[in-house]
C-alpha cells in the first residue's frame, strides 16, 4: 500500500500517543484542491468503511480508501526537520507535478 520511513513512523507514533484513542489508525486520503489539483490529508481514524484498505508499515496501522489507493500506489511517507521546522514529505511516483509545499500534486 504505502511505505513509511523510520523517521515518519517515529513522528506518527509521537502524534498518535497524543490522540484521544491511541489505537486509531493513520488514514491517508487524497482530496481535490491545493495548488496542483490534489492534496494529501493525514488523520487518525477509528472508523473503517467497507471500501477501506487496511495495512501496516513500521508498526503504524494504516487505512486508505479505494479511490485514494489508485493515486498513491508506491508512495513513500517521510518526515524531515530543518531550520523552519518539521514536516511530512510525500514521495509519490505517480505524481507528475507538485507544488512548493510538497502536499499538493497532479497526476498524468
Amino acid at each position: 500500500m504505502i511505505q513509511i520511513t523510520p523517521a515518519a513512523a517515529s513522528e506518527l507514533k509521537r502524534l498518535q500517543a497524543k490522540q484521544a484513542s491511541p489505537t486509531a489508525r493513520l488514514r491517508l486520503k487524497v482530496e481535490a484542491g491545493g495548488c496542483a489539483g490534489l492534496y494529501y490529508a493525514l488523520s487518525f481514524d477509528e472508523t473503517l468503511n467497507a471500501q477501506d484498505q487496511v495495512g501496516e508499515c513500521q508498526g503504524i496501522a494504516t487505512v486508505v480508501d479505494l479511490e485514494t489507493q489508485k493515486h498513491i500506489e508506491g508512495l513513500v511517507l517521510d518526515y524531515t526537520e530543518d531550520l523552519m521546522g518539521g514536516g511530512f514529505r510525500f514521495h509519490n511516483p505517480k505524481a507528475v507535478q507538485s507544488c512548493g509545499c510538497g502536499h499538493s500534486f497532479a497526476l498524468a
Side-chain angles (χ1 to χ4, degrees), residues 30-67:
V30 170
E31 306 259 345
C35 307
L38 298 169
Y39 69 93
Y40 303 104
L42 293 175
S43 63
F44 289 102
D45 194 353
E46 293 181 352
T47 307
L48 285 178
N49 302 314
Q51 299 294 317
D52 285 340
Q53 302 292 308
V54 178
E56 184 176 328
C57 186
Q58 297 282 345
I60 305 292
T62 59
V63 179
V64 176
D65 63 70
L66 283 178
E67 186 65 26

Side-chain angles (χ1 to χ4, degrees), residues 73-95:
E73 191 70 37
L75 180 127
V76 176
L77 178 61
D78 194 12
Y79 181 83
T80 58
E81 291 191 31
D82 56 25
L83 293 175
M84 299 301 287
F88 289 101
R89 308 290 184 249
F90 300 87
H91 304 283
N92 187 346
K94 291 192 166 206

